[in-house]
Short mmCIF file of all heavy atoms in Angstrom, two decimals:
data_model
loop_
_atom_site.label_atom_id
_atom_site.label_comp_id
_atom_site.label_asym_id
_atom_site.label_seq_id
_atom_site.Cartn_x
_atom_site.Cartn_y
_atom_site.Cartn_z
N MET A 1 0.81 -1.15 0.06
CA MET A 1 0.05 0.01 0.02
C MET A 1 0.90 1.18 0.01
O MET A 1 1.97 1.28 0.56
CB MET A 1 -0.88 -0.01 1.26
CG MET A 1 -1.06 1.19 2.05
SD MET A 1 -1.76 0.95 3.67
CE MET A 1 -3.13 -0.12 3.37
N LYS A 2 0.41 2.25 -0.74
CA LYS A 2 1.09 3.55 -0.72
C LYS A 2 0.51 4.55 0.14
O LYS A 2 -0.82 4.72 0.11
CB LYS A 2 1.23 3.99 -2.20
CG LYS A 2 2.26 3.14 -3.08
CD LYS A 2 2.28 3.78 -4.44
CE LYS A 2 3.42 3.10 -5.26
NZ LYS A 2 3.35 3.66 -6.58
N LEU A 3 1.33 5.31 0.85
CA LEU A 3 0.78 6.27 1.77
C LEU A 3 1.52 7.71 1.46
O LEU A 3 2.75 7.56 1.16
CB LEU A 3 0.98 5.99 3.20
CG LEU A 3 0.23 4.79 3.77
CD1 LEU A 3 0.70 4.54 5.16
CD2 LEU A 3 -1.21 4.96 3.72
N ILE A 4 0.88 8.72 1.64
CA ILE A 4 1.41 10.10 1.70
C ILE A 4 1.21 10.59 3.08
O ILE A 4 0.07 10.63 3.56
CB ILE A 4 0.91 11.00 0.67
CG1 ILE A 4 1.09 10.56 -0.70
CG2 ILE A 4 1.42 12.44 0.85
CD1 ILE A 4 2.45 10.62 -1.16
N ILE A 5 2.24 11.04 3.87
CA ILE A 5 2.11 11.69 5.13
C ILE A 5 2.50 13.13 5.03
O ILE A 5 3.61 13.52 4.60
CB ILE A 5 2.99 10.99 6.23
CG1 ILE A 5 2.67 9.45 6.29
CG2 ILE A 5 2.59 11.63 7.59
CD1 ILE A 5 3.58 8.76 7.25
N GLU A 6 1.57 14.00 5.41
CA GLU A 6 1.79 15.48 5.40
C GLU A 6 2.43 15.82 6.78
O GLU A 6 1.73 15.57 7.78
CB GLU A 6 0.57 16.30 5.11
CG GLU A 6 -0.03 15.92 3.80
CD GLU A 6 -1.28 16.75 3.43
OE1 GLU A 6 -1.92 17.27 4.41
OE2 GLU A 6 -1.76 16.73 2.36
N ILE A 7 3.60 16.45 6.79
CA ILE A 7 4.27 16.65 8.07
C ILE A 7 4.72 18.15 8.20
O ILE A 7 5.22 18.67 7.18
CB ILE A 7 5.65 15.86 8.07
CG1 ILE A 7 5.27 14.36 7.79
CG2 ILE A 7 6.31 16.05 9.35
CD1 ILE A 7 6.55 13.54 7.60
N ASP A 8 4.38 18.68 9.25
CA ASP A 8 4.77 20.11 9.60
C ASP A 8 5.97 20.19 10.58
O ASP A 8 6.19 19.26 11.30
CB ASP A 8 3.60 20.81 10.28
CG ASP A 8 2.89 21.74 9.15
OD1 ASP A 8 3.28 21.77 8.03
OD2 ASP A 8 1.86 22.34 9.56
N ASN A 9 6.57 21.39 10.45
CA ASN A 9 7.73 21.56 11.32
C ASN A 9 9.11 21.04 11.07
O ASN A 9 10.09 21.28 11.74
CB ASN A 9 7.43 21.20 12.80
CG ASN A 9 6.51 22.19 13.43
OD1 ASN A 9 6.37 23.30 13.06
ND2 ASN A 9 5.80 21.77 14.45
N MET A 10 9.22 20.39 9.76
CA MET A 10 10.57 20.08 9.42
C MET A 10 11.20 21.30 8.85
O MET A 10 10.67 21.88 7.89
CB MET A 10 10.57 18.92 8.26
CG MET A 10 10.01 17.58 8.91
SD MET A 10 10.16 16.28 7.62
CE MET A 10 9.11 16.92 6.23
N SER A 11 12.42 21.67 9.30
CA SER A 11 12.98 22.98 8.90
C SER A 11 14.21 22.84 7.99
O SER A 11 14.65 23.74 7.33
CB SER A 11 13.40 23.76 10.15
OG SER A 11 14.23 22.95 10.93
N CYS A 12 14.79 21.59 7.96
CA CYS A 12 16.04 21.48 7.14
C CYS A 12 16.14 20.00 6.66
O CYS A 12 15.37 19.16 7.01
CB CYS A 12 17.31 21.97 7.83
SG CYS A 12 17.68 20.74 9.24
N GLU A 13 17.10 19.81 5.77
CA GLU A 13 17.24 18.47 5.24
C GLU A 13 17.58 17.49 6.45
O GLU A 13 17.33 16.26 6.28
CB GLU A 13 18.40 18.43 4.25
CG GLU A 13 18.43 17.39 3.14
CD GLU A 13 16.97 17.36 2.43
OE1 GLU A 13 16.67 18.44 1.92
OE2 GLU A 13 16.55 16.28 2.30
N HIS A 14 18.34 17.93 7.41
CA HIS A 14 18.60 17.01 8.59
C HIS A 14 17.24 16.52 9.15
O HIS A 14 17.21 15.30 9.52
CB HIS A 14 19.37 17.88 9.65
CG HIS A 14 19.69 17.12 10.82
ND1 HIS A 14 20.62 16.15 10.85
CD2 HIS A 14 19.20 17.06 12.13
CE1 HIS A 14 20.58 15.56 12.12
NE2 HIS A 14 19.69 16.15 12.90
N CYS A 15 16.31 17.42 9.29
CA CYS A 15 14.95 16.89 9.81
C CYS A 15 14.37 15.86 8.93
O CYS A 15 13.80 14.82 9.36
CB CYS A 15 13.93 17.97 9.87
SG CYS A 15 14.38 19.41 10.91
N ALA A 16 14.46 16.01 7.59
CA ALA A 16 13.96 15.09 6.59
C ALA A 16 14.62 13.80 6.79
O ALA A 16 13.94 12.74 6.62
CB ALA A 16 14.01 15.59 5.25
N LYS A 17 15.90 13.85 6.94
CA LYS A 17 16.64 12.55 7.12
C LYS A 17 16.27 11.85 8.47
O LYS A 17 16.26 10.54 8.45
CB LYS A 17 18.05 12.81 7.06
CG LYS A 17 18.60 13.17 5.60
CD LYS A 17 18.42 12.13 4.60
CE LYS A 17 18.68 12.49 3.24
NZ LYS A 17 18.08 11.55 2.21
N ARG A 18 16.03 12.60 9.51
CA ARG A 18 15.69 11.90 10.72
C ARG A 18 14.36 11.19 10.57
O ARG A 18 14.15 10.15 11.01
CB ARG A 18 15.45 13.02 11.84
CG ARG A 18 16.71 13.54 12.49
CD ARG A 18 16.35 14.59 13.52
NE ARG A 18 15.92 13.99 14.83
CZ ARG A 18 15.16 14.48 15.75
NH1 ARG A 18 14.74 15.74 15.43
NH2 ARG A 18 14.77 13.86 16.74
N VAL A 19 13.36 11.78 9.98
CA VAL A 19 12.13 11.35 9.65
C VAL A 19 12.23 10.03 8.78
O VAL A 19 11.65 8.98 9.13
CB VAL A 19 11.07 12.37 9.16
CG1 VAL A 19 9.80 11.58 8.62
CG2 VAL A 19 10.85 13.44 10.08
N GLU A 20 12.93 10.29 7.74
CA GLU A 20 13.17 9.04 6.82
C GLU A 20 13.82 7.84 7.68
O GLU A 20 13.36 6.74 7.45
CB GLU A 20 14.14 9.52 5.72
CG GLU A 20 13.65 9.25 4.33
CD GLU A 20 14.44 9.99 3.30
OE1 GLU A 20 15.79 9.74 3.31
OE2 GLU A 20 13.92 10.74 2.50
N GLY A 21 14.82 8.22 8.48
CA GLY A 21 15.52 7.13 9.11
C GLY A 21 14.58 6.33 10.12
O GLY A 21 14.52 5.09 10.20
N ALA A 22 13.84 7.16 10.92
CA ALA A 22 12.94 6.59 11.82
C ALA A 22 11.87 5.68 11.17
O ALA A 22 11.45 4.65 11.57
CB ALA A 22 12.23 7.64 12.75
N LEU A 23 11.22 6.22 10.15
CA LEU A 23 10.22 5.58 9.41
C LEU A 23 10.73 4.21 8.74
O LEU A 23 10.05 3.12 8.84
CB LEU A 23 9.49 6.33 8.35
CG LEU A 23 8.66 7.59 8.93
CD1 LEU A 23 8.03 8.35 7.86
CD2 LEU A 23 7.64 7.15 10.00
N SER A 24 11.89 4.31 8.23
CA SER A 24 12.44 3.14 7.53
C SER A 24 12.79 2.01 8.52
O SER A 24 12.91 0.83 8.17
CB SER A 24 13.72 3.53 6.66
OG SER A 24 14.75 3.95 7.50
N ASN A 25 12.87 2.31 9.83
CA ASN A 25 13.13 1.28 10.76
C ASN A 25 11.96 0.59 11.14
O ASN A 25 11.95 -0.46 11.84
CB ASN A 25 13.72 1.97 12.11
CG ASN A 25 15.16 2.31 12.04
OD1 ASN A 25 15.76 1.64 11.17
ND2 ASN A 25 15.66 3.19 12.84
N LEU A 26 10.73 1.02 10.77
CA LEU A 26 9.53 0.33 11.13
C LEU A 26 9.31 -0.92 10.16
O LEU A 26 9.53 -0.82 8.95
CB LEU A 26 8.28 1.24 10.86
CG LEU A 26 8.27 2.44 11.81
CD1 LEU A 26 7.10 3.39 11.59
CD2 LEU A 26 8.25 2.07 13.29
N ASP A 27 9.07 -2.15 10.69
CA ASP A 27 9.11 -3.40 9.95
C ASP A 27 8.15 -3.38 8.79
O ASP A 27 8.35 -3.97 7.81
CB ASP A 27 8.92 -4.55 10.81
CG ASP A 27 7.63 -4.67 11.52
OD1 ASP A 27 6.84 -3.61 11.50
OD2 ASP A 27 7.23 -5.66 12.03
N PHE A 28 7.05 -2.62 8.95
CA PHE A 28 6.03 -2.66 7.75
C PHE A 28 6.36 -1.58 6.69
O PHE A 28 5.62 -1.51 5.71
CB PHE A 28 4.63 -2.44 8.28
CG PHE A 28 4.43 -1.20 9.20
CD1 PHE A 28 4.27 0.02 8.59
CD2 PHE A 28 4.37 -1.33 10.58
CE1 PHE A 28 4.11 1.13 9.50
CE2 PHE A 28 4.18 -0.37 11.44
CZ PHE A 28 4.15 1.02 10.85
N VAL A 29 7.33 -0.73 6.90
CA VAL A 29 7.76 0.30 5.89
C VAL A 29 8.74 -0.38 4.88
O VAL A 29 9.84 -0.71 5.32
CB VAL A 29 8.31 1.55 6.54
CG1 VAL A 29 8.91 2.47 5.52
CG2 VAL A 29 7.22 2.21 7.46
N GLU A 30 8.33 -0.44 3.59
CA GLU A 30 9.21 -1.14 2.61
C GLU A 30 10.12 -0.04 2.06
O GLU A 30 11.22 -0.29 1.67
CB GLU A 30 8.42 -1.70 1.62
CG GLU A 30 7.59 -2.83 2.18
CD GLU A 30 6.53 -3.53 1.25
OE1 GLU A 30 6.29 -2.88 0.22
OE2 GLU A 30 6.09 -4.67 1.54
N SER A 31 9.52 1.20 1.83
CA SER A 31 10.47 2.25 1.35
C SER A 31 9.80 3.56 1.75
O SER A 31 8.60 3.73 1.94
CB SER A 31 10.57 2.22 -0.22
OG SER A 31 9.41 2.52 -0.76
N VAL A 32 10.70 4.61 1.97
CA VAL A 32 10.17 5.97 2.31
C VAL A 32 11.14 7.02 1.79
O VAL A 32 12.35 6.91 1.72
CB VAL A 32 10.10 6.02 3.91
CG1 VAL A 32 11.47 5.65 4.68
CG2 VAL A 32 9.77 7.52 4.30
N LYS A 33 10.49 7.96 1.26
CA LYS A 33 11.20 9.13 0.78
C LYS A 33 10.49 10.44 1.36
O LYS A 33 9.32 10.60 1.18
CB LYS A 33 11.17 9.21 -0.72
CG LYS A 33 11.82 10.32 -1.36
CD LYS A 33 13.43 10.05 -1.47
CE LYS A 33 14.10 11.33 -1.82
NZ LYS A 33 15.14 11.76 -0.85
N VAL A 34 11.19 11.27 2.00
CA VAL A 34 10.73 12.62 2.52
C VAL A 34 11.07 13.65 1.57
O VAL A 34 12.28 13.82 1.17
CB VAL A 34 11.28 12.81 3.93
CG1 VAL A 34 10.77 14.23 4.41
CG2 VAL A 34 10.76 11.74 4.87
N ASN A 35 10.10 14.48 1.23
CA ASN A 35 10.29 15.68 0.33
C ASN A 35 10.13 16.91 1.25
O ASN A 35 9.03 17.24 1.75
CB ASN A 35 9.31 15.72 -0.80
CG ASN A 35 9.68 16.90 -1.65
OD1 ASN A 35 9.88 17.98 -1.26
ND2 ASN A 35 9.68 16.57 -3.01
N LEU A 36 11.25 17.56 1.64
CA LEU A 36 11.13 18.73 2.53
C LEU A 36 10.39 19.86 2.02
O LEU A 36 9.51 20.37 2.80
CB LEU A 36 12.65 19.14 2.92
CG LEU A 36 12.78 20.27 3.79
CD1 LEU A 36 12.35 19.87 5.28
CD2 LEU A 36 14.27 20.70 3.82
N ASN A 37 10.48 20.17 0.88
CA ASN A 37 9.84 21.39 0.21
C ASN A 37 8.27 21.14 0.20
O ASN A 37 7.52 22.06 0.46
CB ASN A 37 10.33 21.77 -1.15
CG ASN A 37 11.77 22.12 -1.10
OD1 ASN A 37 12.21 22.86 -0.20
ND2 ASN A 37 12.47 21.84 -2.23
N GLU A 38 7.87 19.92 -0.07
CA GLU A 38 6.47 19.61 -0.13
C GLU A 38 5.88 19.16 1.24
O GLU A 38 4.74 19.00 1.33
CB GLU A 38 6.26 18.53 -1.22
CG GLU A 38 6.55 18.84 -2.66
CD GLU A 38 6.24 17.71 -3.60
OE1 GLU A 38 5.95 16.63 -3.23
OE2 GLU A 38 6.52 17.95 -4.83
N LYS A 39 6.85 19.08 2.19
CA LYS A 39 6.36 18.69 3.59
C LYS A 39 5.55 17.30 3.45
O LYS A 39 4.57 17.18 4.18
CB LYS A 39 5.50 19.76 4.21
CG LYS A 39 6.17 21.11 4.30
CD LYS A 39 5.30 22.04 4.95
CE LYS A 39 5.91 23.39 5.11
NZ LYS A 39 4.93 24.40 5.79
N LYS A 40 6.18 16.38 2.79
CA LYS A 40 5.54 15.21 2.66
C LYS A 40 6.46 13.97 2.68
O LYS A 40 7.67 14.16 2.27
CB LYS A 40 4.77 15.08 1.19
CG LYS A 40 3.50 15.88 1.16
CD LYS A 40 3.00 15.69 -0.26
CE LYS A 40 1.81 16.66 -0.50
NZ LYS A 40 1.39 16.70 -1.90
N ALA A 41 6.00 12.85 3.20
CA ALA A 41 6.75 11.61 3.21
C ALA A 41 5.92 10.69 2.33
O ALA A 41 4.66 10.60 2.45
CB ALA A 41 6.92 11.04 4.56
N SER A 42 6.58 10.03 1.36
CA SER A 42 5.91 8.99 0.53
C SER A 42 6.51 7.70 0.93
O SER A 42 7.66 7.41 1.08
CB SER A 42 6.33 9.37 -1.01
OG SER A 42 6.00 10.53 -1.29
N LEU A 43 5.53 6.82 1.21
CA LEU A 43 5.78 5.46 1.79
C LEU A 43 5.20 4.35 0.96
O LEU A 43 4.02 4.50 0.50
CB LEU A 43 5.30 5.24 3.23
CG LEU A 43 6.05 6.18 4.34
CD1 LEU A 43 5.24 7.51 4.39
CD2 LEU A 43 6.03 5.42 5.60
N LYS A 44 5.96 3.31 0.88
CA LYS A 44 5.30 1.90 0.42
C LYS A 44 5.43 1.11 1.69
O LYS A 44 6.45 0.96 2.31
CB LYS A 44 6.19 1.35 -0.65
CG LYS A 44 5.49 1.36 -1.93
CD LYS A 44 6.37 0.75 -3.04
CE LYS A 44 6.24 -0.76 -3.05
NZ LYS A 44 7.05 -1.37 -4.14
N CYS A 45 4.23 0.58 2.01
CA CYS A 45 4.10 -0.23 3.31
C CYS A 45 3.52 -1.62 3.02
O CYS A 45 2.70 -1.77 2.01
CB CYS A 45 3.14 0.52 4.27
SG CYS A 45 3.76 1.98 4.81
N SER A 46 3.84 -2.56 3.75
CA SER A 46 3.22 -3.84 3.63
C SER A 46 1.70 -3.76 4.24
O SER A 46 1.42 -2.77 4.85
CB SER A 46 4.06 -4.95 4.28
OG SER A 46 4.36 -4.50 5.63
N ASN A 47 1.02 -4.88 4.18
CA ASN A 47 -0.33 -4.90 4.63
C ASN A 47 -0.56 -4.80 6.10
O ASN A 47 -1.70 -4.35 6.46
CB ASN A 47 -1.10 -6.05 3.95
CG ASN A 47 -1.34 -5.97 2.54
OD1 ASN A 47 -1.40 -4.87 1.98
ND2 ASN A 47 -1.37 -7.16 1.86
N ASN A 48 0.42 -5.00 6.87
CA ASN A 48 0.30 -4.94 8.33
C ASN A 48 0.62 -3.50 8.85
O ASN A 48 1.08 -3.41 9.99
CB ASN A 48 1.13 -5.98 9.03
CG ASN A 48 2.59 -5.82 8.75
OD1 ASN A 48 2.94 -5.33 7.70
ND2 ASN A 48 3.39 -6.29 9.64
N VAL A 49 0.42 -2.48 7.93
CA VAL A 49 0.75 -1.08 8.32
C VAL A 49 -0.04 -0.72 9.59
O VAL A 49 -1.19 -1.08 9.77
CB VAL A 49 0.46 -0.21 7.12
CG1 VAL A 49 -1.02 -0.27 6.71
CG2 VAL A 49 0.91 1.25 7.47
N ASN A 50 0.74 0.06 10.42
CA ASN A 50 0.13 0.56 11.67
C ASN A 50 0.17 2.14 11.64
O ASN A 50 1.20 2.71 11.81
CB ASN A 50 0.85 0.12 12.89
CG ASN A 50 0.34 0.53 14.18
OD1 ASN A 50 -0.20 1.55 14.23
ND2 ASN A 50 0.57 -0.31 15.23
N LEU A 51 -1.09 2.69 11.34
CA LEU A 51 -1.10 4.18 11.16
C LEU A 51 -0.74 4.93 12.38
O LEU A 51 -0.15 5.93 12.36
CB LEU A 51 -2.40 4.59 10.56
CG LEU A 51 -2.83 4.03 9.16
CD1 LEU A 51 -4.16 4.55 8.78
CD2 LEU A 51 -1.81 4.36 8.12
N ASP A 52 -1.24 4.44 13.53
CA ASP A 52 -1.00 5.11 14.82
C ASP A 52 0.57 5.16 15.06
O ASP A 52 1.14 6.06 15.67
CB ASP A 52 -1.68 4.36 15.95
CG ASP A 52 -3.22 4.65 15.99
OD1 ASP A 52 -3.65 5.64 15.38
OD2 ASP A 52 -3.86 3.82 16.45
N LEU A 53 1.20 4.07 14.76
CA LEU A 53 2.64 3.84 15.03
C LEU A 53 3.41 4.98 14.00
O LEU A 53 4.38 5.55 14.50
CB LEU A 53 3.16 2.55 14.82
CG LEU A 53 4.62 2.24 15.21
CD1 LEU A 53 4.91 2.69 16.64
CD2 LEU A 53 4.91 0.71 15.06
N LEU A 54 2.97 5.00 12.83
CA LEU A 54 3.52 5.90 11.95
C LEU A 54 3.43 7.35 12.48
O LEU A 54 4.34 8.17 12.51
CB LEU A 54 2.81 6.01 10.49
CG LEU A 54 3.14 4.77 9.59
CD1 LEU A 54 2.24 4.98 8.38
CD2 LEU A 54 4.64 4.82 9.22
N ARG A 55 2.28 7.80 12.98
CA ARG A 55 2.00 8.92 13.61
C ARG A 55 2.88 9.28 14.76
O ARG A 55 3.58 10.38 14.87
CB ARG A 55 0.52 9.11 13.92
CG ARG A 55 0.10 10.48 14.53
CD ARG A 55 -1.39 10.55 14.74
NE ARG A 55 -2.20 10.48 13.50
CZ ARG A 55 -2.49 11.65 12.84
NH1 ARG A 55 -2.14 12.83 13.38
NH2 ARG A 55 -3.22 11.70 11.84
N THR A 56 2.89 8.44 15.79
CA THR A 56 3.64 8.65 16.91
C THR A 56 5.13 8.65 16.77
O THR A 56 5.92 9.38 17.37
CB THR A 56 3.28 7.55 18.11
OG1 THR A 56 3.47 6.31 17.53
CG2 THR A 56 1.94 7.70 18.49
N THR A 57 5.56 7.83 15.78
CA THR A 57 7.09 7.93 15.40
C THR A 57 7.52 9.18 14.95
O THR A 57 8.54 9.67 15.36
CB THR A 57 7.29 6.80 14.28
OG1 THR A 57 7.03 5.53 14.77
CG2 THR A 57 8.81 6.90 13.91
N ILE A 58 6.65 9.81 14.15
CA ILE A 58 7.00 11.28 13.74
C ILE A 58 6.86 12.23 14.80
O ILE A 58 7.70 13.10 14.96
CB ILE A 58 6.07 11.54 12.49
CG1 ILE A 58 6.47 10.66 11.27
CG2 ILE A 58 6.35 12.94 12.11
CD1 ILE A 58 5.41 10.71 10.13
N GLU A 59 5.75 12.13 15.60
CA GLU A 59 5.55 13.03 16.56
C GLU A 59 6.53 12.93 17.77
O GLU A 59 6.90 14.06 18.28
CB GLU A 59 4.10 12.90 17.17
CG GLU A 59 3.00 13.34 16.14
CD GLU A 59 1.60 13.12 16.57
OE1 GLU A 59 1.37 12.41 17.48
OE2 GLU A 59 0.65 13.75 15.92
N ASP A 60 7.11 11.80 17.96
CA ASP A 60 8.03 11.60 18.99
C ASP A 60 9.38 12.35 18.54
O ASP A 60 10.22 12.63 19.49
CB ASP A 60 8.30 10.12 19.24
CG ASP A 60 7.27 9.52 20.09
OD1 ASP A 60 6.43 10.22 20.62
OD2 ASP A 60 7.16 8.17 20.19
N LEU A 61 9.57 12.50 17.36
CA LEU A 61 10.73 13.29 16.83
C LEU A 61 10.56 14.86 16.96
O LEU A 61 11.53 15.50 16.76
CB LEU A 61 11.12 12.90 15.39
CG LEU A 61 11.53 11.56 15.14
CD1 LEU A 61 11.71 11.28 13.68
CD2 LEU A 61 12.93 11.14 15.85
N GLY A 62 9.33 15.15 17.27
CA GLY A 62 9.07 16.63 17.41
C GLY A 62 8.38 17.31 16.19
O GLY A 62 8.31 18.51 16.24
N TYR A 63 7.98 16.44 15.28
CA TYR A 63 7.25 17.00 14.12
C TYR A 63 5.76 16.81 14.17
O TYR A 63 5.30 15.88 14.95
CB TYR A 63 7.83 16.46 12.89
CG TYR A 63 9.37 16.60 12.85
CD1 TYR A 63 10.11 15.50 12.89
CD2 TYR A 63 9.93 17.86 12.77
CE1 TYR A 63 11.52 15.54 12.98
CE2 TYR A 63 11.34 18.00 12.95
CZ TYR A 63 12.17 16.85 12.91
OH TYR A 63 13.52 16.91 12.98
N ASP A 64 5.01 17.41 13.37
CA ASP A 64 3.45 17.31 13.39
C ASP A 64 3.01 16.60 12.24
O ASP A 64 3.38 16.91 11.11
CB ASP A 64 2.80 18.79 13.47
CG ASP A 64 3.33 19.50 14.75
OD1 ASP A 64 3.45 18.88 15.76
OD2 ASP A 64 3.50 20.71 14.64
N VAL A 65 2.26 15.59 12.47
CA VAL A 65 1.45 14.92 11.31
C VAL A 65 0.15 15.60 11.03
O VAL A 65 -0.69 15.70 11.93
CB VAL A 65 1.26 13.49 11.72
CG1 VAL A 65 0.43 12.78 10.61
CG2 VAL A 65 2.60 12.75 11.93
N LYS A 66 0.01 16.13 9.89
CA LYS A 66 -1.26 16.95 9.54
C LYS A 66 -2.14 15.91 8.90
O LYS A 66 -3.37 16.07 9.22
CB LYS A 66 -0.93 17.98 8.53
CG LYS A 66 -0.32 19.21 9.09
CD LYS A 66 -0.02 20.27 8.04
CE LYS A 66 -1.30 20.74 7.38
NZ LYS A 66 -1.00 21.62 6.18
N ASN A 67 -1.75 14.95 8.19
CA ASN A 67 -2.73 14.08 7.40
C ASN A 67 -1.94 12.77 7.00
O ASN A 67 -0.77 12.87 6.73
CB ASN A 67 -3.23 14.81 6.22
CG ASN A 67 -4.55 14.43 5.85
OD1 ASN A 67 -5.09 13.51 6.46
ND2 ASN A 67 -5.09 15.16 4.91
N ILE A 68 -2.63 11.74 6.93
CA ILE A 68 -2.12 10.48 6.35
C ILE A 68 -3.16 10.14 5.24
O ILE A 68 -4.38 9.93 5.55
CB ILE A 68 -1.98 9.36 7.33
CG1 ILE A 68 -0.98 9.76 8.46
CG2 ILE A 68 -1.53 8.11 6.67
CD1 ILE A 68 -0.71 8.74 9.51
N ILE A 69 -2.62 10.08 3.98
CA ILE A 69 -3.47 9.85 2.90
C ILE A 69 -3.13 8.43 2.28
O ILE A 69 -1.93 8.25 1.87
CB ILE A 69 -3.32 10.94 1.80
CG1 ILE A 69 -3.63 12.26 2.45
CG2 ILE A 69 -4.26 10.70 0.63
CD1 ILE A 69 -2.94 13.38 1.86
N GLU A 70 -4.11 7.61 2.01
CA GLU A 70 -3.93 6.39 1.24
C GLU A 70 -4.02 6.68 -0.27
O GLU A 70 -4.99 7.26 -0.56
CB GLU A 70 -4.87 5.33 1.73
CG GLU A 70 -4.54 4.68 3.02
CD GLU A 70 -5.51 3.53 3.41
OE1 GLU A 70 -5.89 2.76 2.37
OE2 GLU A 70 -5.92 3.50 4.48
N GLU A 71 -3.10 6.21 -1.00
CA GLU A 71 -3.10 6.46 -2.41
C GLU A 71 -3.75 5.32 -3.14
O GLU A 71 -3.52 4.12 -2.81
CB GLU A 71 -1.65 6.62 -3.04
CG GLU A 71 -1.09 7.97 -2.67
CD GLU A 71 -0.14 8.37 -3.70
OE1 GLU A 71 0.84 7.61 -3.88
OE2 GLU A 71 -0.28 9.46 -4.18
CU1 CU B 1 16.19 20.35 10.57
#
């Protein structure tokens, strides 16, 4: 499944890499790419995706999840 996560408060490429690294460590995340300018993470996830865990993983880093969209 493909997801787009809209993320607020990432201020630089370092933030984007932090989010990318944390999300890629989740076992159901197959691939992740964060676009800083668009404030979006694009993910490919397996079927056992946990949306709450995606949200809290990003929020625990200090960023805000505005929306999670299934493509
Ligand atoms: Cu930063």
Side-chain angles (χ1 to χ4, degrees):
M1 133 194 317
K2 287 184 175 177
L3 296 175
I4 300 287
I5 307 178
E6 297 177 348
I7 304 167
D8 258 355
N9 284 339
M10 293 189 297
S11 55
C12 69
E13 205 56 51
H14 178 73
C15 300
K17 289 297 172 199
R18 282 182 77 203
V19 171
E20 233 171 53
L23 294 181
S24 65
N25 280 337
L26 301 173
D27 61 349
F28 53 79
V29 174
E30 294 172 349
S31 69
V32 54
K33 181 81 190 119
V34 174
N35 186 312
L36 180 65
N37 293 327
E38 295 181 358
K39 302 180 177 181
K40 282 178 184 169
S42 306
L43 293 87
K44 253 179 82 176
C45 297
S46 53
N47 286 334
N48 60 334
V49 60
N50 181 331
L51 296 181
D52 286 336
L53 186 53
L54 284 175
R55 180 178 289 275
T56 56
T57 296
I58 295 168
E59 289 175 347
D60 285 350
L61 294 174
Y63 308 112
D64 296 325
V65 174
K66 284 179 62 186
N67 210 355
I68 300 179
I69 304 153
E70 283 185 41
E71 284 208 304

